Amino acid sequence: MMRTKLSLCAATLLTLGLLSQVAVSKSLTKEEETQLKQELQQLQKKAEEAEKKQKKESDPKEKKKDHERYQILQAKLDEYTATKPCETAAQCKVISLGNKPCGGAWGYEIYSTQTVSEADISKVISEMDAIKKKNMRKGMVSTCEHIPEPIAQCVENQCTAQKKMLLY
């Protein structure tokens, strides 16, 4: 985030320098001058937006809000996966819990299509992942441990996870 801000500031200063150099080295047409001014305004606007975003993300109230929202989403996910009734294995699904920065999923959940739709559970997980990604930009880290995806199965009318066997 800080690099973006610095890059935008450097680009703005560079543009200002170039604008004054161009103005000195040759006379600009009205169109060229207008175009350069518009580019400068766009760079300044991007720099201001980056600064506002950085301030918002570092705000303790924003962090608390994210944490509370994440907890609500986690409770919703727990509700979706608490009961997993099934009649066939086709009703048992596996869904990944977002993506780690170094690849792979944070984990997996087994759910039943009898209790929740794929669209509903995907929406919750996507929102949770967006909060995690936001935290990663703030310097939080993750392990690069690979978590194998389980296989969903229906056993005694309940969806369960069967771990994949790794063969070497």
Side-chain angles (χ1 to χ4, degrees):
M1 186 61 67
M2 191 62 149
R3 283 187 188 171
T4 303
K5 184 178 176 183
L6 290 174
S7 297
L8 289 172
C9 289
T12 302
L13 292 172
L14 181 63
T15 304
L16 282 170
L18 289 176
L19 183 58
S20 63
Q21 286 176 3
V22 170
V24 169
S25 67
K26 73 172 199 171
S27 59
L28 296 174
T29 65
K30 274 289 189 197
E31 284 180 8
E32 291 172 325
E33 188 177 333
T34 302
Q35 183 179 1
L36 284 172
K37 285 181 181 179
Q38 287 174 345
E39 289 175 11
L40 177 60
Q41 287 172 345
Q42 288 173 350
L43 285 171
Q44 288 172 330
K45 185 177 179 181
K46 284 181 182 179
E48 289 169 5
E49 288 171 358
E51 189 174 349
K52 283 180 188 177
K53 185 176 180 182
Q54 184 181 17
K55 282 182 183 178
K56 183 179 179 185
E57 286 182 355
S58 63
D59 181 11
K61 289 179 184 176
E62 187 69 21
K63 289 179 184 178
K64 184 177 178 184
K65 183 179 161 184
D66 284 346
H67 179 71
E68 289 171 352
R69 180 66 186 148
Y70 192 87
Q71 296 221 321
I72 290 167
L73 292 166
Q74 182 65 56
K76 191 71 165 170
L77 180 61
D78 292 345
E79 178 186 320
Y80 285 160
T81 59
T83 60
K84 305 168 195 162
C86 60
E87 295 171 15
T88 67
Q91 294 170 322
C92 300
K93 303 288 181 182
V94 177
I95 191 163
S96 68
L97 302 176
N99 298 303
K100 289 184 178 183
C102 56
W106 288 98
Y108 296 93
E109 279 290 342
I110 304 291
Y111 69 97
S112 171
T113 57
Q114 283 189 358
T115 57
V116 64
S117 72
E118 184 175 353
D120 288 342
I121 199 166
S122 292
K123 182 180 176 187
V124 168
I125 290 172
S126 292
E127 203 172 331
M128 290 172 75
D129 197 39
I131 293 170
K132 277 187 182 177
K133 284 179 182 176
K134 188 175 175 183
N135 287 335
M136 298 303 281
R137 287 192 304 266
K138 294 178 194 172
M140 298 177 116
V141 295
S142 77
T143 65
C144 287
E145 173 188 9
H146 174 72
I147 300 170
E149 181 178 346
I151 299 169
Q153 58 186 5
C154 185
V155 177
E156 297 178 6
N157 294 335
Q158 286 293 308
C159 293
T160 60
Q162 175 187 0
K163 291 187 179 186
K164 287 184 180 177
M165 302 262 311
L166 297 176
L167 302 175
Y168 294 97

